[in-house]
Amino acid sequence: MKNPDIGTGVYGSGFLAKIEEAFYLVTVAHLGDPQLLPRKDWSVWGNKIQIVEPTGPNNPEGSWAGIADHQLFRTSAFGHRIPRFKYFIREDQPDGVADVILIPIEASDPLMRHYRCFNLPEESTSPSLGEVVTLLGRRDDFPSLATREHHIVQVDGPIHVLSPTSSEGDSGGPVIDEMGQFVGMNFGVPPGDNYKSLILTPNAILAVAQSTNGVSQTWPKFRERR
């Protein structure tokens, strides 16, 4: 996946989810923001997310073709940009959004015939510390799909921490356990720590699906520090 409006260097991964009879294309919010900072300033976002795939089995670096565009905004009668996607306004930073967006799609969307759709929460699970999980992302020779094993090293509220780190292009990629159950979505690395990676939990993604204008009452809370 990439945002064609904000340069060739902004790309990532995503997945499909079914939540309460609605279907979504799920990815990171920073794929829409040209500064890679998910802000609630829609004027700086790109217009669409483009789904891309390699052009052949021996994909030369950078050789890809767009197969679908998904618009991020509609325009109001007054010319304002209104998000088509679900999002969550960060409680610690009201001018920012959590690094995840859910773009609504139809059940008949061609993507549904080509990619797995996670039925949430039924096809999700809460992993244990030390458990081995697999991240699916489009790194290195983007947009070819690659996998990498990680270990769960921390579980807290809406976030799990994995080791080792993830790579550019992994953002938005789903993480699954050995049974193929959904564990979370990769969205980056901890500040100042290039040896680990961060994923949003299924409960966090479900909370975004239940949000209205960026507000959700079910966003998971971090544990209190003592």
Side-chain angles (χ1 to χ4, degrees):
M1 301 173 68
K2 69 187 301 290
N3 192 321
D5 300 319
I6 55 178
T8 58
V10 182
Y11 60 91
S13 305
F15 63 96
L16 302 174
K18 178 185 178 184
I19 303 172
E20 295 183 352
E21 303 306 317
F23 296 89
Y24 299 98
L25 173 61
V26 186
T27 189
V28 284
H30 74 247
L31 195 58
D33 191 313
Q35 301 300 316
L36 300 185
L37 298 170
R39 296 167 290 181
K40 190 176 171 288
D41 178 0
W42 310 131
S43 67
V44 301
W45 283 52
N47 295 314
K48 61 189 177 183
I49 296 294
Q50 185 177 59
I51 311 300
V52 300
E53 282 288 356
T55 54
N58 299 313
N59 179 46
E61 184 175 357
S63 179
W64 50 265
I67 61 172
D69 291 341
H70 288 270
Q71 299 297 322
L72 294 177
F73 300 93
R74 59 186 178 87
T75 303
S76 73
F78 301 98
H80 300 144
R81 301 181 98 194
I82 300 175
R84 293 186 59 251
F85 52 86
K86 293 275 192 175
Y87 61 97
F88 176 71
I89 299 172
R90 291 177 52 171
E91 297 176 353
D92 62 331
Q93 187 179 340
D95 60 345
V97 297
D99 203 356
V100 55
I101 56 174
L102 279 63
I103 306 169
I105 62 173
E106 298 294 332
S108 58
D109 192 295
L111 292 177
M112 298 292 292
R113 298 195 300 268
H114 297 289
Y115 302 101
R116 175 182 178 181
C117 180
F118 292 96
N119 188 12
L120 302 180
E122 291 80 2
E123 295 180 353
S124 65
T125 187
S126 297
S128 304
L129 289 177
E131 184 173 343
V132 177
V133 295
T134 300
L135 168 60
L136 290 77
R138 297 183 182 269
R139 65 185 77 92
D140 303 329
D141 58 345
F142 176 86
S144 296
L145 182 65
T147 63
R148 180 180 295 160
E149 287 191 347
H150 297 256
H151 291 80
I152 300 287
V153 297
Q154 183 178 331
V155 178
D156 190 1
I159 293 175
H160 296 333
V161 182
L162 309 182
S163 178
T165 190
S166 55
S167 302
E168 185 177 7
D170 283 333
S171 293
V175 178
I176 59 175
D177 69 3
E178 64 179 359
M179 301 301 294
Q181 295 287 91
F182 180 73
V183 172
M185 181 199 76
N186 178 268
F187 69 96
V189 301
D193 188 343
N194 293 325
Y195 298 96
K196 297 182 176 68
S197 57
L198 302 172
I199 65 171
L200 282 176
T201 65
N203 285 341
I205 292 168
L206 291 171
V208 177
Q210 297 165 1
S211 68
T212 301
N213 296 326
V215 178
S216 176
Q217 303 302 319
T218 58
W219 183 259
K221 304 295 184 183
F222 288 104
R223 293 193 302 267
E224 292 187 5
R225 299 294 191 265
R226 296 184 179 180

